[in-house]
């Protein structure tokens, strides 16, 4: 069902875990299927220096979080804000149709973390 | 890599003896059983023998067995067929919240078509009590359809008591026994059951074939229209090789049931005990009244599809009641009906054991589950909120 890239991220997820003193935290949940994703970012000079994630969700949700963290590291906030759900799915080489909503979680959580950083700055 | 199959409730491998019995009917014995010539007579004989074997396995007469394309069709025929056969104007049907969709959705469909329906709630183990059925029956009730054993959590329902109440009240009783054949002995002329569904691929037979037992004098009308096969109740040229396979599988399924129960439940209990050693794991379904091969657990703080995928990478095949595996965005209706919190239902896994499983496989699986759970919990946002 999932391609090799998705399975690789699922098996060896990058940047898993919590972060001490993050600059921003974003948490989103899918009300219906109950899945939750949490993203922590560390920002210096408007650049995302570090990013971590925690996810309760399916294989696609875990792979999306992992792929997103790789895409975002080292990017400016402005660049990071432009990353869409589609970009995450594309980065993974595509997701099965019923699993597209799982990649939404990843981009949404990131955007929320950035917003959190900006409002608390 | 190891390949361990623990999804026997989804389907079973076909037994060699079953395949052997079927092969002639995929090769040289191709006659249509309705034909009068030699070719047809040959296959007619095979059809009759298969019917006798299925009937013998249930303790009934061959005339009471109608072959279908599986459990789904048997449930549809039972429920819609009884509804169509009623001429008294009564229109109330009772079922339970934990039925397979093949029964539940058929009843709901009739509900949309003007029938009155009652979907009985279940207790924390997924069981309907006979008293609930008794209280729900009205003078308009025509049919009660409540399964023998649940396919997800393995709970065995008090089908004989329910049947007895239906008999007293003069209401037909149908039971979906798709998961029960080979695990629960039947002797239907002694048991108060009017209709019973079964499906060959759940007991080491071929896929796409099943049967409906219809007790003599039960008024049922066909739901497919065509030729005169199966006493007109199920028209269409018979899937003969599959039916022959069903007959052989039934013979094998009803032999040595107590020994099979003993062997399977020993494996099951070892797996349950091992799983419950992991922190924050609960057993779903009844602790004792359960199918000998069924283990269903909720593993808190992790989601079922990711558990299933990670176990698959370790060669272990199981299933999950998580919404994420269903594509429907809703977790298992059975677990929800039992009152589980949706988040806990999300983390459910079903291991269904069968003929090929060994103690070594159970122990390997327990180790693998431990590893998988540890890995996924390390990524879970929940466990931290709670600690
Ligand atoms: C309890 C129950 N009823 C009905 C069915 C449907 O049977 P079939 O796959 O033969 O249509 C199944 C199998 O999934 C089942 O477990
Ligand atoms: S997170 Fe539930 S389907 Fe992907």
């Amino acid at each position: 069902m999932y391609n090799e890239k998705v399975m690789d991220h699922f098996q060896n997820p990058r940047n898993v875990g919590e972060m001490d003193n993050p600059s921003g935290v974003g948490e989103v949940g899918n009300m219906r299927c109950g899945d939750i994703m949490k993203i922590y970012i560390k920002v210096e000079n408007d650049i995302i220096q570090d990013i971590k994630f925690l996810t309760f969700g399916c294989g696609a949700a875990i792979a999306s979080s992992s792929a997103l963290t790789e895409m975002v590291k080292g990017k400016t906030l402005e660049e990071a804000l432009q990353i869409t759900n589609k970009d995450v799915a594309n980065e993974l080489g595509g997701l099965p149709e019923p699993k597209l909503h799982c990649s939404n979680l990843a981009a949404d959580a990131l955007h929320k973390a950035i917003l959190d950083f900006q409002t608390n700055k | 890599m190891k390949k361990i199959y623990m999804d026997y409730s989804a389907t079973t491998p076909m037994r060699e003896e079953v395949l052997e019995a079927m092969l002639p009917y995929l090769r040289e014995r191709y006659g249509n059983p309705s034909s009068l010539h030699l070719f047809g007579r040959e296959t007619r004989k095979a059809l009759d023998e298969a019917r006798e074997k299925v009937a013998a396995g249930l303790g009934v007469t061959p005339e009471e067995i109608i072959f279908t394309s599986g459990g789904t069709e048997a449930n549809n025929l039972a429920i819609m067929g009884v509804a169509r056969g009623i001429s008294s104007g009564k229109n109330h049907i009772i079922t339970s919240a934990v039925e397979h969709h093949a029964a539940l959705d058929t009843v709901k469909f009739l509900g949309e078509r003007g029938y009155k329906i009652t979907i009985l709630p279940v207790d924390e183990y997924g069981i309907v009590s006979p008293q609930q059925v008794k209280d729900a029956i009205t003078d308009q009730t025509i049919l009660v359809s409540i399964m023998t054993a649940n396919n997800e959590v393995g709970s065995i329902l008090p089908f004989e008591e329910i049947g007895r109440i239906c008999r007293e009240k003069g209401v037909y009783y149908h039971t979906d026994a798709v998961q029960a054949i080979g695990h629960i002995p039947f002797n239907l002329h002694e048991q108060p059951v009017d209709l019973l569904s079964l499906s060959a691929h759940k007991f080491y037979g071929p896929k796409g074939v099943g049967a409906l037992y219809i007790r003599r004098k039960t008024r049922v009308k066909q739901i497919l229209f065509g030729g005169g096969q199966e006493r007109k109740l199920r028209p269409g040229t018979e899937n003969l090789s599959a039916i022959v396979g069903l007959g052989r599988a039934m013979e094998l399924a009803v032999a040595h049931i107590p020994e099979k129960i003993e062997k399977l439940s020993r494996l099951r209990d070892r797996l349950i005990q091992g799983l419950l050693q992991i922190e924050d794991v609960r057993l779903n379904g009844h602790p004792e009244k359960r199918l000998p091969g069924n283990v269903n657990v909720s593993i808190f703080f992790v989601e079922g599809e990711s558990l299933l995928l990670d176990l698959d990478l370790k060669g272990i095949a199981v299933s999950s009641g998580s919404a994420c595996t269903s594509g429907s965005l809703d977790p298992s209706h059975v677990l929800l009906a039992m009152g589980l919190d949706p988040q806990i239902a999300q983390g459910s896994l079903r291991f269904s054991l069968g003929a090929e499983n060994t103690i070594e496989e159970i122990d390997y699986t327990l180790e693998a589950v431990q590893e998988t759970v540890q890995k996924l919990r390390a990524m879970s946002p929940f466990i931290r909120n709670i600690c």
Side-chain angles (χ1 to χ4, degrees):
Chain A
M1 177 169 109
Y2 294 128
N3 68 37
E4 272 175 38
K5 200 149 184 195
V6 176
M7 286 310 289
D8 176 49
H9 275 282
F10 172 72
Q11 262 183 287
N12 312 296
R14 335 301 194 234
N15 307 305
V16 181
E18 277 176 303
M19 187 185 284
D20 293 332
N21 308 316
S23 323
V25 183
E27 182 170 332
V28 293
N30 179 326
M31 292 314 286
R32 278 192 66 205
C33 77
D35 302 314
I36 292 198
M37 197 176 288
K38 202 165 179 177
I39 298 252
Y40 304 83
I41 52 172
K42 182 145 287 170
V43 182
E44 276 166 38
N45 304 325
D46 272 0
I47 287 175
I48 298 180
Q49 297 290 358
D50 198 10
I51 178 163
K52 295 258 186 216
F53 82 87
L54 293 174
T55 293
F56 170 89
C58 69
I62 291 171
S64 298
S65 333
S66 167
L68 175 93
T69 60
E70 280 200 324
M71 290 164 75
V72 163
K73 221 183 229 183
K75 289 246 161 56
T76 64
L77 292 180
E78 204 172 327
E79 287 166 331
L81 276 171
Q82 277 166 20
I83 291 177
T84 65
N85 314 322
K86 261 217 180 100
D87 298 331
V88 179
N90 287 342
E91 175 70 18
L92 285 168
L95 284 169
E97 166 67 32
K99 295 289 178 181
L100 281 172
H101 72 273
C102 315
S103 59
N104 295 355
L105 286 184
D108 292 349
L110 170 69
H111 297 162
K112 251 186 150 165
I114 295 174
L115 195 70
D116 180 49
F117 163 69
Q118 287 170 337
T119 44
N120 293 329
K121 202 156 50 171
Chain B
M1 192 181 68
K2 279 201 189 346
K3 263 173 85 179
I4 299 181
Y5 189 72
M6 293 194 175
D7 206 10
Y8 283 82
S9 284
T11 195
T12 58
M14 205 159 74
R15 282 181 63 159
E16 195 59 34
E17 297 97 311
V18 174
L19 176 65
E20 286 301 322
M22 290 170 69
L23 281 174
Y25 301 92
L26 290 163
R27 290 192 177 123
E28 65 277 10
R29 297 197 192 156
Y30 52 81
N32 186 325
S34 300
S35 303
L36 291 180
H37 47 59
L38 175 67
F39 295 81
R41 289 200 303 277
E42 223 170 47
T43 49
R44 162 65 53 186
K45 186 159 165 282
L47 181 63
D48 291 345
E49 283 171 8
R51 200 183 308 279
E52 280 160 22
K53 286 174 184 166
V54 173
L58 298 175
V60 302
T61 51
E63 298 70 43
E64 295 172 304
I65 299 298
I66 299 294
F67 292 121
T68 67
S69 65
T72 300
E73 192 193 332
N75 283 345
N76 273 258
L77 176 58
I79 297 165
M80 290 212 272
V82 165
R84 274 178 32 79
I86 292 295
S87 52
S88 60
K90 295 183 183 181
N91 69 347
H92 179 224
I93 299 172
I94 298 170
T95 189
S96 87
V98 295
E99 299 301 307
H100 189 275
H101 282 296
L104 189 56
D105 291 3
T106 306
V107 172
K108 285 183 179 166
F109 168 76
L110 290 174
E112 287 160 15
R113 287 305 180 96
Y115 286 82
K116 285 209 188 69
I117 64 171
T118 301
I119 299 172
L120 292 173
V122 295
D123 67 10
E124 58 180 315
Y125 301 122
I127 292 178
V128 177
S129 75
Q131 189 62 41
Q132 277 178 283
V133 176
K134 195 169 190 173
D135 295 343
I137 293 177
T138 71
D139 58 2
Q140 291 301 304
T141 309
I142 53 177
L143 173 71
V144 172
S145 177
I146 290 180
M147 68 201 320
T148 320
N150 184 267
N151 47 303
E152 292 189 32
V153 297
S155 295
I156 297 174
L157 284 81
F159 68 99
E160 291 186 78
E161 287 94 319
I162 292 174
R164 212 161 296 129
I165 286 166
C166 293
R167 178 84 28 109
E168 277 164 23
K169 301 264 185 180
V171 172
Y172 287 145
Y173 178 49
H174 165 247
T175 192
D176 174 350
V178 166
Q179 293 289 340
I181 302 295
H183 300 302
I184 296 175
F186 287 99
N187 187 3
L188 292 177
H189 275 175
E190 310 280 307
Q191 291 161 320
V193 172
D194 300 303
L195 304 109
L196 177 144
S197 304
L198 58 87
S199 175
H201 75 103
K202 308 287 188 182
F203 51 94
Y204 309 95
K207 293 170 182 57
V209 66
L212 180 66
Y213 155 70
I214 307 177
R215 182 184 292 272
R216 210 173 331 186
K217 297 202 180 127
T218 304
R219 294 174 57 116
V220 177
K221 275 196 178 162
Q222 84 269 46
I223 58 171
L224 290 177
F225 298 86
Q229 295 92 344
E230 301 297 301
R231 296 194 286 117
K232 270 197 164 163
L233 279 170
R234 208 295 186 165
T237 300
E238 299 84 352
N239 184 358
L240 198 73
S241 61
I243 289 172
V244 168
L246 165 59
R248 187 74 182 107
M250 189 73 180
E251 263 185 331
L252 296 166
V254 296
H256 312 296
I257 290 185
E259 290 87 338
K260 286 187 276 196
I261 291 180
E262 206 202 303
K263 185 202 153 195
L264 268 186
S265 34
R266 209 169 321 131
L267 294 177
R268 174 197 67 190
D269 294 343
R270 190 181 178 95
L271 183 56
I272 292 177
Q273 274 154 23
L275 289 168
L276 292 179
Q277 300 282 311
I278 304 173
E279 251 177 82
D280 296 311
V281 171
R282 65 160 266 165
L283 179 69
N284 296 318
H286 200 279
E288 286 116 39
K289 291 177 213 155
R290 75 186 299 136
L291 289 172
N294 176 288
V295 176
N296 188 309
V297 289
S298 283
I299 300 178
F300 296 8
F301 319 122
V302 284
E303 184 280 319
E305 193 216 70
S306 56
L307 284 165
L308 189 156
L309 269 183
D310 204 63
L311 289 175
D312 185 45
L313 290 167
K314 299 183 164 102
I316 301 167
V318 298
S319 70
S320 168
S322 162
C324 304
T325 46
S326 69
S328 76
L329 285 187
D330 290 314
S332 146
H333 70 287
V334 174
L335 296 175
L336 295 184
M338 288 160 57
L340 258 73
D341 185 274
Q343 211 119 62
I344 310 265
Q346 281 291 77
S348 77
L349 279 185
R350 178 188 72 183
F351 304 78
S352 43
L353 310 177
E356 305 284 324
N357 292 129
T358 61
I359 288 203
E360 290 70 40
E361 288 181 343
I362 300 287
D363 293 345
Y364 172 84
T365 300
L366 283 169
E367 268 175 47
V369 173
Q370 229 145 24
E371 261 179 45
T372 293
V373 170
Q374 217 161 37
K375 174 181 161 187
L376 292 174
R377 279 190 179 161
M379 299 185 208
S380 170
F382 286 134
I383 201 150
R384 288 176 178 74
N385 291 344
I386 283 166
C387 299

